[in-house]
Amino acid sequence: MSTTVAQDRYAAEKQKFQELFDQTEAANQQSAHPLDEYRQRAMTLAGTLDFPTRRWEEYKYTSVNRILQPDYAIGQAQGMDAADIQAYLPEGMDAHLIVFVNGQLSDSLSQFAELPAGMHVMLLRDAMDSDRFGSIAREHMDRILKDQDDIFVALNAAFSQHSLFLYSEKNVACEKPVYILHLSTNAETPILNSHMNIAVAETGSEFAYIEGQFEKPGATGTYFNNIYNRVTIGANAHIHHYCLQQEGAEGFVINRVDAEQDRDSQFSNYTVDLGGRIVRNNLNTVHKGSNLTTNYYGVYFGKEQQHIDNHTFIDHAVPHCQSNELYKGIVTDSARGVFNGKVMVRKDAQKTNAFQQSSSLVLSNKAEMDSKPQLEIFADDVKCSHGATIGQLDESSVFYLRSRGLNDHQARAMLQHAFIAEVLEYFKHEQVRDFAEMLINQKFEQ
Amino acid sequence: MLTVKDLKVAVEDKTILNGINLEVKPGEVHAIMGPNGSGKSTFANVIAGREDYEVESGSVLYKGEDLLEMEVDERALAGIFMAFQYPVEIPGVSTSNFLKSIVNANREARGLEAMNAMQMLKYIREKIELVGMDEKFLRRSLNEGFSGGEKKRSEMLQMALLEPSLAILDETDSGLDIDALRIVSEAVNKLRTQDRSFIIVTHYQRLLNYIEPDFVHVLYKGRIVKSGDKSLALELEDKGYDWIKEEVDAVAV
């Protein structure tokens, strides 16, 4: 009997998602759009999967229990004007903007039309309808659902109605990043925001997209952002993916990126995670061709009750590939940080060059950091290095800064900032780096 | 400016300063000399506000206020500047950002408006010239990888920017070649005013060839055992510290 109980640990919670899905479908009056068929399939799939428990090695330090308790509803469209999003468009931020408020697309604030030739950003729904992208879009959806064992991805695919499809044609370089802004505002009920991006860079092309996930200042609502990115980087192509998160005190995030790289390509992920109640990032890259490079640069900063978990994975499956991973973070108050960096170097992946460094500062007695580098190396001619440090601020540096008139708080903030600024230097787009720096500074000043 | 009375200080239960008396008036330059282990640096650090010292007795008044009750940053904002013997290297903190922050923190404490980026740049350039530093240091991390001389120059630059009432130089001359020494002393001389006081802690008389002190004090075994004018420094240079040690130790016996 006890095993049955364990397996059904979240049966009631799963049922609530099913009911919410049924309500949504009833309200939708059942169009026969192919995306809706995928969504139905995904919901059925979700019904066969389990939510992770802390018995699962991958969720040892992060319980999803708190995320699953609220009675979520789908967000309603809300009127927003340019002034409302100004805080997230700092001076110098020049990007193709797409705005979601509580998970609903804001047509008036989004700029689909202004993209350069060869760069396409559209709703996945529209991509499926188009002659040009229909088969590519469907193929990606099929692959997302095939053998999918992550219930959060299945739920994402079931609930995401405004999934985006980003596509750069062969040899096209899109200079301005695409900026997908998710804003959470007050709502009467807890909000479930599911969003999927399918990003594809064809051979020799390059573009950048930024995902900004923020709670509007002053808002206090409970919400759950379940975000999924499927990123496919063609031969000799490069995708820069920025993920900026600053969620509210009752904001929950499950974020997953599955990237797949072809030969000679580059994938760079830059994560700035300023926390939420519980944030779990899963960042996975699989190598499909040789001579490619994967870059992971991450910064996190947890305060108060925040829980920030970064799980990263790089699958070196072919020879002559490189990966660089640098994560730095700070936890203070009662915050908790988790870093799990898995690097797999398969038997065939000779001449792999894999570097990983994770450093954290733990600034209070109640804060906690769990850091786990996990290198699994099956090839014998490789260069792999990793380092993980957990430490405190250097008090002689604090004294030095104070001796020049900075108060204790300012001195510590300056040193903490310096600690994570190293990562920001790797950010390719200066405007995003400046924006990230501004967000981090704001958090220091809180 | 500064009145030190019968100051006794211990480190880990060992008495290092054993009753220091010193009066520094506005505009005066005092040199504190002494052999190794005499307590010179301890004295400088206690005035600057380092916390790993235990004040056993005595008092220190700065501009009429109880200095020992003030936090290190309060002392800085009240106009005390300490040029450290070993400035800390701080990777990741850019020198220019650091300088901007400390200048504006000090301006704010004096009721002055914060400088904007343009004013700041002009102000920093002016002072950088005064201490003969290369502007490229502004872009580097604070003190990181600086040579000994560059670190001392960086300290002088900070002093010039903050315009303190009382500056303490803790062995700023140690380990400097003659050119660097000249630059440091020139900076001090340019900053000498009738209101600004200096306490120059040094092991060597050499620095005092460039900075002319009003008073020279010799510290030995935690006390000021001899005070005089600059000629005392020359005497020390000629004869070393041994004669003073002998004098003091003879009395003690």
Side-chain angles (χ1 to χ4, degrees), chain A residues 221-235:
Chain A
T222 301
Y223 59 92
F224 171 25
N225 284 345
N226 183 14
I227 310 283
Y228 182 65
N229 281 273
R230 181 182 172 80
V231 185
T232 308
I233 306 105

Side-chain angles (χ1 to χ4, degrees), chain A residues 394 396-408 410 414-415 417-419 421 425 437, chain B residues 49-50 71-73 76-77 81-82 84 88 90-93 98 101-102 106 142-143 155 158:
Chain A
D394 173 30
S396 63
S397 299
V398 175
F399 179 81
Y400 185 80
L401 297 180
R402 290 182 68 196
S403 78
R404 298 303 182 241
L406 301 183
N407 64 36
D408 192 61
Q410 291 167 326
M414 187 176 272
L415 293 171
H417 184 265
F419 175 74
E425 282 169 22
E437 190 147 356
Chain B
R50 204 180 273 283
E71 295 282 335
V72 53
D73 42 315
L77 295 178
F81 181 89
M82 167 92 158
F84 290 98
V88 187
I90 309 187
V93 169
F98 165 73
S101 304
I102 64 171
N106 281 271
L142 184 59
N143 294 330
E155 295 290 283
Q158 294 170 42

